DNA sequence: TAACATCGATCGATGGAACCGATTTAGAGA
DNA sequence: TCTCTAAATCGGTTCCATCGATCGATGTTA
């Protein structure tokens, strides 16, 4: 039993005339006769009753035709689905993003979603550690995160952009006019930092201790908008990647030092299949200045 | 696209290894490679990613496989229908049964086999979870099992009978005369329970913990006749569905509580073709008091 | 790191199947 | 009885599913 035979059968059932059906199928009448006969032999039952020169469907043929049609339809639906997939009219991608990338990522996301409205997108914000763990479990197609010291061989890394670490302070603050600030000066200010689960800040704590500085950390808050509220008072300051800063009432002052630039990477599993939609997302992100 | 190719594809998807799949299909590896490639060319998309000597399913392959499988299934169902139409007196049915139903099921089985001696019957005992998984893969015509909390829309459920949970104890035991027993009393007895893979006992563990009882579970044994041997000593007791109890040396004492009745269901795939022989089996089971 | 085992891809050969045109067979209508 | 038409059948051709052998790549073991 092959789909070809089922298609022949269905056409013959529709027209109830082998000669016409053969013409419609662009095959010869003899071929159709033979294929129907072969199908009947395999099924061990007559699908058509030959009454004189007319053919009529048998009960078996009537019942079987429903399944034959459904079988053909299912195969065709699969074909249609793939055509859709090729045109990016279907599919789903899941992305893990660190919160520092929220603002630039949102721009890319909006562009992508406009361009490919039929692709479902799932976004999960989290810490680098969490996201990478879930990536290993195939929960994400890719992760946007800072570069970690150790590259792992089973992961694929694509550089997206570099971002400077900045001291975030209120616009009305006396510091606001500076074009840069040293780590030593930062250590003397009252700080409200992001929660230490975030790699941004882990990295910073190390930088302080390397220089034997003792920063004045007053608070740790796991929410950047709230941090901004604190900073806006002008009493406290915070440290973030410059990609995180877009509030009109605060400014970011680049921190001096060659290690104060961090690299944003697209990280994915090396051996995983790369969906077409994901490739498009990469192109969009690396192409535009996000 | 032919059914042959779809079947090859599905087997390759299952085993994720062309060599093994070819063996299972009784064709050569080269044939399989070529046919898969041909299918991919016709669909104009890769179904497998070849990474070194490994193959993994692509997104397209994953999505297409569902339709491929359904196409194959529909054709097979049509075939089944015709075989059925040809002769009710031959054929084969395959049934999955939970062990608790062993005794009442055996009665129905004997009756059916006497009545339709030409129908081959294959019976597989297993846990509810195993059986339902195999049902999804079309390995069974139907499954006899306890009712699970969540009905799934693609399955068909027919109530067969209700069965009380009983404490099984030796006939010589001092408890043997009781007409019922509370869960609290049960928790104080030394228990030898069926292996926790069985849904019977999972259900019971939940009941104990809901009432904050701490049962004294001394053993878990994956074989009911062996459990009876343990129970016959009079030192230990077990918990089973009353349908499991037919040993002359033990008795079952109904456990009190409105949740202590469990419903036995006939569970089958909603969209699958229902063989005539299977319908007869349903009639026999629901008709007689098994 | 060198030898080996294993997997998928590819090649050339072959048998069988799909297909065709021509012919035969057999109802239906005149 | 003759004619028309539609399905079945026959013989020949083309195509393709299949195979075994081999290649190249990759992972494993000594």
């Amino acid at each position: 039993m092959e789909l070809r035979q089922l298609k022949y059968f269905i056409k013959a059932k529709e027209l109830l005339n082998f000669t016409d059906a053969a013409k419609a199928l662009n095959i010869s009448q003899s071929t159709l006769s033979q294929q129907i006969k072969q199908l009947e032999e395999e099924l061990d039952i007559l699908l058509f009753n030959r009454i004189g020169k007319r053919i009529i469907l048998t009960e078996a043929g009537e019942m079987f035709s429903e399944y034959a049609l459904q079988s053909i339809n299912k195969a065709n639906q699969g074909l249609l689905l793939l055509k859709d997939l090729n045109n990016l009219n279907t599919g789903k991608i899941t992305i893990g993003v660190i919160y520092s990338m929220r603002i630039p990522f949102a721009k890319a996301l909006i562009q992508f979603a406009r361009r490919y409205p039929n692709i479902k997108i799932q976004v999960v914000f989290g810490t680098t550690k969490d996201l990478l763990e879930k990536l290993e479990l195939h929960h994400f197609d890719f992760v946007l995160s800072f570069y970690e010291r150790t590259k792992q061989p089973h992961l694929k890394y694509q550089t997206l952009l570099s971002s400077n670490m900045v001291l975030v302070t209120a616009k009305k603050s006396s510091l606001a006019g500076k074009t840069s600030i040293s780590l030593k000066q930062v250590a003397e200010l009252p700080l409200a930092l992001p929660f230490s689960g975030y790699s941004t800040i882990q990295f910073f704590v190390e930088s302080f201790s390397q220089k034997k500085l003792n920063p004045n950390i007053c608070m740790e808050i796991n929410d950047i908008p709230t941090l901004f509220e604190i900073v806006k008072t002008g009493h406290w300051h915070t440290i973030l990647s410059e990609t995180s800063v877009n509030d009109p009432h605060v400014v970011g002052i680049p921190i001096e030092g060659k290690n104060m630039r961090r690299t944003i990477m697209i990280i994915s599993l090396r051996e995983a299949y790369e969906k077409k939609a994901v490739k498009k997302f990469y192109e969009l992100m690396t192409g535009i200045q996000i």
Side-chain angles (χ1 to χ4, degrees), chain A:
Chain A
M1 183 166 26
E2 293 296 342
L3 284 174
R4 171 175 30 79
Q5 295 169 318
L6 298 182
K7 285 173 191 165
Y8 291 177
F9 165 58
I10 292 298
K11 184 56 79 179
K13 182 213 155 181
E14 279 172 23
L15 301 181
L16 284 178
N17 178 314
F18 281 8
T19 309
D20 293 351
K23 273 180 198 154
L25 292 163
N26 285 317
I27 57 171
S28 72
Q29 172 262 318
S30 71
T31 301
L32 183 61
S33 267
Q34 289 172 49
Q35 287 293 302
I36 295 286
K37 186 178 181 182
Q38 189 176 312
L39 182 58
E40 289 175 328
E41 275 168 11
E42 183 181 346
L43 299 176
D44 198 24
I45 203 161
L46 282 183
L47 298 170
F48 294 100
N49 266 332
R50 281 77 164 172
I51 302 180
K53 52 205 282 187
R54 285 224 310 276
I55 55 167
I56 58 169
L57 258 189
T58 61
E59 187 194 355
E62 184 64 55
M63 294 170 82
F64 181 70
S65 69
E66 190 169 325
Y67 290 90
L69 198 57
Q70 288 188 49
S71 176
I72 295 165
N73 282 341
K74 282 297 170 189
N76 281 337
Q77 283 168 30
L79 191 60
L80 278 181
L81 174 90
L82 293 184
K83 295 269 168 275
D84 261 5
L85 196 66
N86 250 340
N87 298 326
L88 290 172
N89 286 327
T90 183
K92 180 186 166 189
I93 62 183
T94 309
I95 310 171
V97 190
I98 52 170
Y99 202 79
S100 315
M101 280 297 287
R102 186 179 66 92
I103 294 155
F105 174 73
K107 287 185 196 164
L109 179 63
I110 288 164
Q111 279 208 22
F112 183 86
R114 282 224 179 96
R115 181 110 165 254
Y116 304 107
N118 295 312
I119 309 257
K120 292 196 194 310
I121 308 165
Q122 208 168 54
V123 179
V124 176
F125 286 102
T127 66
T128 300
K129 190 162 162 288
D130 278 359
L131 295 176
L132 289 180
E133 274 170 13
K134 283 180 182 156
L135 179 67
E136 307 260 0
L137 298 171
H138 291 75
H139 288 184
F140 297 132
D141 289 301
F142 64 92
V143 161
L144 287 191
S145 169
F146 288 123
Y147 172 67
E148 300 279 310
R149 275 122 301 197
T150 51
K151 278 198 182 178
Q152 295 190 282
H154 63 291
L155 297 181
K156 198 174 87 177
Y157 298 84
Q158 297 171 75
T159 300
L160 197 55
L161 54 85
S162 278
S163 171
N164 215 97
M165 300 305 297
V166 293
L167 180 82
V168 182
T169 188
K171 220 164 209 166
K172 63 185 181 189
S173 148
S174 58
L175 291 166
K178 293 173 76 76
T179 55
S180 73
I181 191 165
S182 73
L183 208 58
K184 188 157 171 288
Q185 287 175 284
V186 170
E188 287 161 4
L189 298 168
L191 298 174
L193 295 191
F195 186 66
S196 54
Y198 289 105
S199 77
T200 318
I201 234 53
Q202 279 186 351
F203 160 80
F204 237 86
V205 168
E206 287 170 26
S207 298
F208 277 124
S209 79
Q210 269 175 26
K211 298 214 170 189
K212 305 222 186 297
L213 294 171
N214 199 14
N216 177 16
I217 301 172
C218 307
M219 316 178 198
E220 287 188 8
I221 298 175
N222 180 20
D223 180 67
I224 291 186
T226 308
L227 268 178
F228 283 164
E229 292 305 313
I230 305 294
V231 167
K232 281 179 205 167
T233 63
H235 284 77
W236 295 274
H237 310 76
T238 191
I239 300 169
L240 290 170
S241 154
E242 69 179 335
T243 53
S244 302
V245 184
N246 80 329
D247 190 297
H249 300 100
V250 303
V251 290
I253 304 161
I255 300 173
E256 295 158 10
K258 64 180 191 302
N259 288 326
M260 287 302 136
R261 289 192 76 76
R262 306 211 63 198
T263 307
I264 307 284
M265 294 282 204
I266 303 171
I267 306 174
S268 53
L269 287 171
R270 193 173 287 282
E271 89 278 10
Y273 170 71
E274 199 160 85
K275 296 173 185 170
K276 196 166 177 181
V278 168
K279 283 202 189 101
K280 289 285 171 197
F281 210 113
Y282 289 169
E283 285 169 22
L284 196 145
M285 279 194 300
T286 53
I288 67 172
Q289 202 63 20
I290 61 173

PDB file of all heavy atoms in Angstrom, chain A residues 56-70:
ATOM      1  N   ILE A  56     -18.773   0.385  -9.711  1.00  0.00           N
ATOM      2  CA  ILE A  56     -19.349   1.065  -8.541  1.00  0.00           C
ATOM      3  C   ILE A  56     -18.550   0.647  -7.309  1.00  0.00           C
ATOM      4  O   ILE A  56     -17.966  -0.441  -7.274  1.00  0.00           O
ATOM      5  CB  ILE A  56     -20.835   0.745  -8.343  1.00  0.00           C
ATOM      6  CG1 ILE A  56     -21.034  -0.770  -8.195  1.00  0.00           C
ATOM      7  CG2 ILE A  56     -21.691   1.297  -9.463  1.00  0.00           C
ATOM      8  CD1 ILE A  56     -22.419  -1.126  -7.734  1.00  0.00           C
ATOM      9  N   LEU A  57     -18.544   1.542  -6.328  1.00  0.00           N
ATOM     10  CA  LEU A  57     -17.785   1.266  -5.114  1.00  0.00           C
ATOM     11  C   LEU A  57     -18.442   0.133  -4.341  1.00  0.00           C
ATOM     12  O   LEU A  57     -19.667   0.088  -4.218  1.00  0.00           O
ATOM     13  CB  LEU A  57     -17.782   2.504  -4.217  1.00  0.00           C
ATOM     14  CG  LEU A  57     -16.547   3.408  -4.173  1.00  0.00           C
ATOM     15  CD1 LEU A  57     -16.704   4.425  -3.068  1.00  0.00           C
ATOM     16  CD2 LEU A  57     -15.296   2.589  -3.957  1.00  0.00           C
ATOM     17  N   THR A  58     -17.657  -0.752  -3.813  1.00  0.00           N
ATOM     18  CA  THR A  58     -18.191  -1.756  -2.895  1.00  0.00           C
ATOM     19  C   THR A  58     -18.336  -1.117  -1.516  1.00  0.00           C
ATOM     20  O   THR A  58     -17.840  -0.016  -1.269  1.00  0.00           O
ATOM     21  CB  THR A  58     -17.228  -2.950  -2.772  1.00  0.00           C
ATOM     22  OG1 THR A  58     -15.981  -2.462  -2.258  1.00  0.00           O
ATOM     23  CG2 THR A  58     -16.989  -3.606  -4.108  1.00  0.00           C
ATOM     24  N   GLU A  59     -18.982  -1.832  -0.610  1.00  0.00           N
ATOM     25  CA  GLU A  59     -19.103  -1.341   0.768  1.00  0.00           C
ATOM     26  C   GLU A  59     -17.711  -1.169   1.361  1.00  0.00           C
ATOM     27  O   GLU A  59     -17.404  -0.173   2.024  1.00  0.00           O
ATOM     28  CB  GLU A  59     -19.934  -2.323   1.608  1.00  0.00           C
ATOM     29  CG  GLU A  59     -20.248  -1.806   2.992  1.00  0.00           C
ATOM     30  CD  GLU A  59     -20.762  -2.909   3.902  1.00  0.00           C
ATOM     31  OE1 GLU A  59     -20.959  -4.038   3.415  1.00  0.00           O
ATOM     32  OE2 GLU A  59     -20.951  -2.639   5.096  1.00  0.00           O
ATOM     33  N   ALA A  60     -16.872  -2.171   1.086  1.00  0.00           N
ATOM     34  CA  ALA A  60     -15.493  -2.099   1.592  1.00  0.00           C
ATOM     35  C   ALA A  60     -14.791  -0.868   1.037  1.00  0.00           C
ATOM     36  O   ALA A  60     -14.117  -0.139   1.765  1.00  0.00           O
ATOM     37  CB  ALA A  60     -14.732  -3.364   1.195  1.00  0.00           C
ATOM     38  N   GLY A  61     -14.977  -0.616  -0.266  1.00  0.00           N
ATOM     39  CA  GLY A  61     -14.355   0.537  -0.893  1.00  0.00           C
ATOM     40  C   GLY A  61     -14.826   1.827  -0.250  1.00  0.00           C
ATOM     41  O   GLY A  61     -14.036   2.735   0.008  1.00  0.00           O
ATOM     42  N   GLU A  62     -16.119   1.875   0.018  1.00  0.00           N
ATOM     43  CA  GLU A  62     -16.695   3.072   0.657  1.00  0.00           C
ATOM     44  C   GLU A  62     -16.051   3.311   2.017  1.00  0.00           C
ATOM     45  O   GLU A  62     -15.628   4.422   2.342  1.00  0.00           O
ATOM     46  CB  GLU A  62     -18.205   2.860   0.806  1.00  0.00           C
ATOM     47  CG  GLU A  62     -18.965   4.035   1.358  1.00  0.00           C
ATOM     48  CD  GLU A  62     -18.892   5.228   0.405  1.00  0.00           C
ATOM     49  OE1 GLU A  62     -19.252   5.082  -0.785  1.00  0.00           O
ATOM     50  OE2 GLU A  62     -18.465   6.300   0.867  1.00  0.00           O
ATOM     51  N   MET A  63     -15.958   2.251   2.801  1.00  0.00           N
ATOM     52  CA  MET A  63     -15.411   2.399   4.148  1.00  0.00           C
ATOM     53  C   MET A  63     -13.914   2.713   4.097  1.00  0.00           C
ATOM     54  O   MET A  63     -13.400   3.535   4.848  1.00  0.00           O
ATOM     55  CB  MET A  63     -15.660   1.123   4.952  1.00  0.00           C
ATOM     56  CG  MET A  63     -17.140   0.870   5.211  1.00  0.00           C
ATOM     57  SD  MET A  63     -17.449  -0.761   5.906  1.00  0.00           S
ATOM     58  CE  MET A  63     -17.104  -0.477   7.626  1.00  0.00           C
ATOM     59  N   PHE A  64     -13.237   2.023   3.191  1.00  0.00           N
ATOM     60  CA  PHE A  64     -11.785   2.204   3.119  1.00  0.00           C
ATOM     61  C   PHE A  64     -11.425   3.601   2.621  1.00  0.00           C
ATOM     62  O   PHE A  64     -10.417   4.172   3.033  1.00  0.00           O
ATOM     63  CB  PHE A  64     -11.163   1.149   2.205  1.00  0.00           C
ATOM     64  CG  PHE A  64      -9.669   1.244   2.101  1.00  0.00           C
ATOM     65  CD1 PHE A  64      -8.866   0.913   3.182  1.00  0.00           C
ATOM     66  CD2 PHE A  64      -9.069   1.671   0.931  1.00  0.00           C
ATOM     67  CE1 PHE A  64      -7.492   0.999   3.097  1.00  0.00           C
ATOM     68  CE2 PHE A  64      -7.692   1.767   0.833  1.00  0.00           C
ATOM     69  CZ  PHE A  64      -6.901   1.421   1.917  1.00  0.00           C
ATOM     70  N   SER A  65     -12.258   4.136   1.742  1.00  0.00           N
ATOM     71  CA  SER A  65     -11.910   5.415   1.114  1.00  0.00           C
ATOM     72  C   SER A  65     -11.730   6.513   2.147  1.00  0.00           C
ATOM     73  O   SER A  65     -10.906   7.409   1.972  1.00  0.00           O
ATOM     74  CB  SER A  65     -12.988   5.817   0.110  1.00  0.00           C
ATOM     75  OG  SER A  65     -14.182   6.164   0.758  1.00  0.00           O
ATOM     76  N   GLU A  66     -12.492   6.428   3.233  1.00  0.00           N
ATOM     77  CA  GLU A  66     -12.369   7.456   4.259  1.00  0.00           C
ATOM     78  C   GLU A  66     -10.966   7.464   4.859  1.00  0.00           C
ATOM     79  O   GLU A  66     -10.350   8.513   5.018  1.00  0.00           O
ATOM     80  CB  GLU A  66     -13.408   7.210   5.349  1.00  0.00           C
ATOM     81  CG  GLU A  66     -13.521   8.357   6.318  1.00  0.00           C
ATOM     82  CD  GLU A  66     -14.737   8.204   7.212  1.00  0.00           C
ATOM     83  OE1 GLU A  66     -15.776   7.695   6.720  1.00  0.00           O
ATOM     84  OE2 GLU A  66     -14.629   8.571   8.382  1.00  0.00           O
ATOM     85  N   TYR A  67     -10.485   6.264   5.159  1.00  0.00           N
ATOM     86  CA  TYR A  67      -9.145   6.176   5.747  1.00  0.00           C
ATOM     87  C   TYR A  67      -8.073   6.538   4.732  1.00  0.00           C
ATOM     88  O   TYR A  67      -7.078   7.183   5.065  1.00  0.00           O
ATOM     89  CB  TYR A  67      -8.911   4.777   6.318  1.00  0.00           C
ATOM     90  CG  TYR A  67      -9.740   4.527   7.556  1.00  0.00           C
ATOM     91  CD1 TYR A  67     -11.019   3.982   7.475  1.00  0.00           C
ATOM     92  CD2 TYR A  67      -9.247   4.875   8.803  1.00  0.00           C
ATOM     93  CE1 TYR A  67     -11.797   3.790   8.601  1.00  0.00           C
ATOM     94  CE2 TYR A  67     -10.003   4.686   9.941  1.00  0.00           C
ATOM     95  CZ  TYR A  67     -11.273   4.139   9.837  1.00  0.00           C
ATOM     96  OH  TYR A  67     -12.029   3.962  10.965  1.00  0.00           O
ATOM     97  N   ALA A  68      -8.292   6.104   3.492  1.00  0.00           N
ATOM     98  CA  ALA A  68      -7.326   6.429   2.446  1.00  0.00           C
ATOM     99  C   ALA A  68      -7.206   7.936   2.301  1.00  0.00           C
ATOM    100  O   ALA A  68      -6.100   8.491   2.266  1.00  0.00           O
ATOM    101  CB  ALA A  68      -7.767   5.800   1.128  1.00  0.00           C
ATOM    102  N   LEU A  69      -8.363   8.593   2.288  1.00  0.00           N
ATOM    103  CA  LEU A  69      -8.372  10.042   2.135  1.00  0.00           C
ATOM    104  C   LEU A  69      -7.658  10.713   3.301  1.00  0.00           C
ATOM    105  O   LEU A  69      -6.863  11.645   3.120  1.00  0.00           O
ATOM    106  CB  LEU A  69      -9.824  10.524   2.051  1.00  0.00           C
ATOM    107  CG  LEU A  69     -10.046  11.911   1.481  1.00  0.00           C
ATOM    108  CD1 LEU A  69      -9.448  12.007   0.087  1.00  0.00           C
ATOM    109  CD2 LEU A  69     -11.529  12.215   1.429  1.00  0.00           C
ATOM    110  N   GLN A  70      -7.929  10.232   4.484  1.00  0.00           N
ATOM    111  CA  GLN A  70      -7.301  10.837   5.662  1.00  0.00           C
ATOM    112  C   GLN A  70      -5.800  10.627   5.653  1.00  0.00           C
ATOM    113  O   GLN A  70      -5.029  11.502   6.056  1.00  0.00           O
ATOM    114  CB  GLN A  70      -7.908  10.268   6.937  1.00  0.00           C
ATOM    115  CG  GLN A  70      -9.309  10.762   7.184  1.00  0.00           C
ATOM    116  CD  GLN A  70      -9.822  10.332   8.549  1.00  0.00           C
ATOM    117  OE1 GLN A  70      -9.149  10.490   9.555  1.00  0.00           O
ATOM    118  NE2 GLN A  70     -11.015   9.764   8.577  1.00  0.00           N
TER     119      GLN A  70
END
